[in-house]
Amino acid sequence: QKEVEQDPGPLSVPEGAIVSLNCTYSNSAFQYFMWYRQYSRKGPELLMYTYSSGNKEDGRFTAQVDKSSKYISLFIRDSQPSDSATYLCALGKPGNTGKLIFGQGTTLQVKP
Amino acid sequence: DTAVSQTPKYLVTQMGNDKSIKCEQNLGHDTMYWYKQDSKKFLKIMFSYNNKELIINETVPNRFSPKSPDKAHLNLHINSLELGDSAVYFCASSQDKRAQTYEQYFGPGTRLTVT
């Protein structure tokens, strides 16, 4: 069983839709939770970062962490064609010297 | 004012050759990383250096050797290239400060194709 599971999609939505992207994990030692966005043939770009349960909001993006269920989500409101990319969750354990464990990534397409 | 840069962007080479990829960061970070992304976009850490000291060394063939001349630079040398080494290699960097260690910033990647 992989430490971090993420549905690879692809996920296709119309412009303006609310998008929900999710990851589950198996090890409760994970305390740091990141979402990266990766456009085609580009490097991953850090989008959201949280290290506690609950919600964190930044513009149209909301990251949610539920440690009891070992489940993290990224919500995108009013999705735009420019949001079309692969979204990767990444998790870290304290004292693990920066080692991030990535999900497989979900490919999102927002159609105009 | 690129934060994390890599050269070259593309690298096409034959099996058995030796090649190097260079990475530089101007963020003032203490820690640098090499990641490998396979054809299914799965991203996996290979190495990390903190102030020129090797910190993370994952299960990677010893044909791969990282070198950090100073904390702003991290290079990756690959000997005797194999077909399976074809992938995109990303450099990343972060502060070395508890939670911030996990806040990593990536370079644009080097697409390596071994023929």
Side-chain angles (χ1 to χ4, degrees), chain A residues 10-28:
Chain A
L11 184 61
S12 182
V13 301
E15 185 175 353
I18 296 174
V19 176
S20 170
L21 304 164
N22 311 296
C23 286
T24 58
Y25 60 97
S26 55
N27 192 331
S28 59

Side-chain angles (χ1 to χ4, degrees), chain A residues 32 34 36 38 40-44 46 49 51 86 88 92-100 102-104, chain B residues 10 33 35 37 40-43 45 48 55-56 58 90 98-108 111:
Chain A
Y32 304 112
M34 266 69 57
Y36 283 85
Q38 186 175 21
S40 181
R41 297 193 168 249
K42 300 286 186 186
L46 184 60
Y49 177 27
Y51 47 88
T86 297
L88 300 140
K93 303 172 192 172
N96 224 18
T97 59
K99 180 177 175 179
L100 282 177
F102 279 83
Q104 194 177 340
Chain B
Y10 299 97
Y33 309 81
Y35 283 85
Q37 188 170 47
K40 294 183 180 177
K41 296 215 165 182
F42 184 61
L43 203 55
I45 192 165
S48 81
I55 301 297
I56 295 175
E58 289 292 289
F90 288 101
R98 290 183 291 222
Q100 286 177 292
T101 306
Y102 298 89
E103 195 175 334
Q104 295 173 19
Y105 294 87
F106 282 74
R111 187 171 293 269

Side-chain angles (χ1 to χ4, degrees), chain A residues 4-5 13 25 27 31-32 36 48 50 63-64 67 75 78 99:
Chain A
V4 179
E5 299 274 3
V13 301
Y25 60 97
N27 192 331
Q31 298 293 322
Y32 304 112
Y36 283 85
M48 300 287 281
T50 182
Q64 191 174 78
K67 287 185 181 178
F75 298 97
D78 187 25
K99 180 177 175 179

Side-chain angles (χ1 to χ4, degrees), chain B residues 2 4 13 25-26 30 33 36 45 54 56 79 81 90 99 101 105 108 111:
Chain B
T2 306
V4 182
T13 188
Q25 55 94 5
N26 62 6
D30 303 300
Y33 309 81
K36 179 180 179 180
I45 192 165
L54 182 65
I56 295 175
N79 288 328
L81 277 154
F90 288 101
T101 306
Y105 294 87
R111 187 171 293 269

